[in-house]
Amino acid sequence: MEIEELKNKWKELDKHLRAQDEKIKELTDQVTANKVKSPLAMLRRHCLVSAIFVPFLLPFFFWCYGVSELNCPEWQKMLLYVLTWVFVGFIFVRELYLYFELKSINVGRETALEAMKRVIKFRKHYNGGVLIAMVMGMAMLLVMFICIGNPSFIVGGLVGAVIGGIFGAKL
């Protein structure tokens, strides 16, 4: 009788320990997922705010062009306007793409390997976008310098490019 009672108690204890192990694993997974979800949420907010803010750059650029009285041939003015539209459009589409790419990463439901692959893919796209945006911005600044000839606009643009590049690389 005592052996039967010990076997039964042992089985109950074993069930209890398995249940505790499952709870610990579940809590560990939740904590890990929450540690990753918080930075992902921050990046998603950043991309969404950028996508909302970027279209407002067009009126600002065109206002600056109007104030500075572009003194250049018409083809250079058109080139400047086209480069401005392409630059702002690229940034807008890039931010939306990155937002939806981040939104598709689901750490809690993917394996760690799949999540890491997606994060590495995101980083490559992000850094590539920063590089392309800097090249496009520099081309726009060069045409702006040729059209305007005012070094203060160029210095402001270069400072903006450097600050944007630093923040982009840091983010």
Side-chain angles (χ1 to χ4, degrees):
M1 187 81 164
E2 290 178 16
I3 292 178
E4 287 299 318
E5 285 180 24
L6 283 174
K7 285 182 183 178
N8 290 337
K9 291 204 182 249
W10 187 264
K11 286 179 185 177
E12 285 179 30
L13 184 60
D14 194 38
K15 286 180 188 177
H16 183 68
L17 286 175
R18 277 193 219 131
Q20 292 299 321
D21 286 343
E22 288 177 21
K23 284 182 183 178
I24 289 171
K25 184 182 180 315
E26 193 176 300
L27 288 172
T28 304
D29 290 345
Q30 281 180 346
V31 168
T32 304
N34 287 339
K35 282 185 178 181
V36 175
K37 285 180 184 176
S38 180
L40 281 175
M42 182 202 61
L43 283 172
R44 276 195 301 265
R45 277 192 310 274
H46 167 75
C47 290
L48 187 61
V49 167
S50 295
I52 291 169
F53 172 73
V54 163
F56 293 108
L57 288 176
L58 278 175
F60 173 73
F61 278 123
F62 294 137
W63 174 79
C64 288
Y65 299 157
V67 167
S68 63
E69 298 175 12
L70 300 175
N71 298 322
C72 58
E74 284 299 314
W75 70 270
Q76 287 179 343
K77 289 179 186 178
M78 290 307 289
L79 179 63
L80 182 61
Y81 288 127
V82 168
L83 283 174
T84 303
W85 274 99
V86 169
F87 176 73
V88 172
F90 172 76
I91 299 294
F92 177 73
V93 170
R94 177 181 162 268
E95 292 297 330
L96 283 179
Y97 172 77
L98 293 175
Y99 173 77
F100 286 113
E101 192 172 313
L102 282 171
K103 196 169 182 157
S104 70
I105 296 175
N106 191 347
V107 179
R109 296 209 171 111
E110 295 177 338
T111 65
L113 181 62
E114 290 171 347
M116 288 303 294
K117 284 181 181 178
R118 292 171 69 102
V119 168
I120 290 169
K121 178 183 166 189
F122 169 79
R123 289 183 74 184
K124 285 181 183 177
H125 288 168
Y126 187 87
N127 290 336
V130 168
L131 181 64
I132 291 170
M134 286 191 69
V135 168
M136 291 172 73
M138 291 300 170
M140 194 171 76
L141 282 173
L142 179 65
V143 174
M144 196 183 302
F145 179 70
I146 292 169
C147 286
I148 297 172
N150 186 347
S152 61
F153 276 100
I154 305 309
V155 170
L158 288 174
V159 168
V162 168
I163 291 172
I166 290 170
F167 280 117
K170 182 181 179 289
L171 188 65

